[in-house]
Amino acid sequence: YFIVGKNDYNTPLEILKDFYKTLDAPKGKQLYVFPEAAHLPFFKDPSYFYDVIASIKNSLDSLDVIQ
């Protein structure tokens, strides 16, 4: 799981997208982009950030990863 702000210059989106494409993740992978955020997307849109974290937790629960 990757969470990134579109305007993040510490972790530029294009570099992350390139890495994401090459990443082999047999159990799945997900990229969440916050269109108005930079390096701290949870400050820019906390309710969407909460939704993203809840979605990740739910997907992990369905994989029976969290005990």
Side-chain angles (χ1 to χ4, degrees):
Y1 301 94
F2 295 90
I3 301 171
V4 64
K6 181 180 176 188
N7 304 312
D8 188 344
Y9 19 140
N10 293 315
T11 310
L13 181 56
E14 292 308 313
I15 292 173
L16 181 60
K17 282 182 178 179
D18 290 343
F19 175 69
Y20 181 81
K21 289 176 193 173
T22 65
L23 185 64
D24 182 26
K27 292 190 178 187
K29 59 185 178 179
Q30 185 66 44
L31 174 62
Y32 297 94
V33 178
F34 285 66
E36 301 297 320
H39 193 65
L40 303 171
F42 46 89
F43 283 133
K44 189 68 176 176
D45 193 345
S47 79
Y48 179 56
F49 185 78
Y50 175 83
D51 291 344
V52 166
I53 297 302
S55 172
I56 291 169
K57 183 196 178 302
N58 289 337
S59 69
L60 293 174
D61 286 346
S62 69
L63 292 174
D64 205 21
V65 174
I66 298 176
Q67 298 181 14

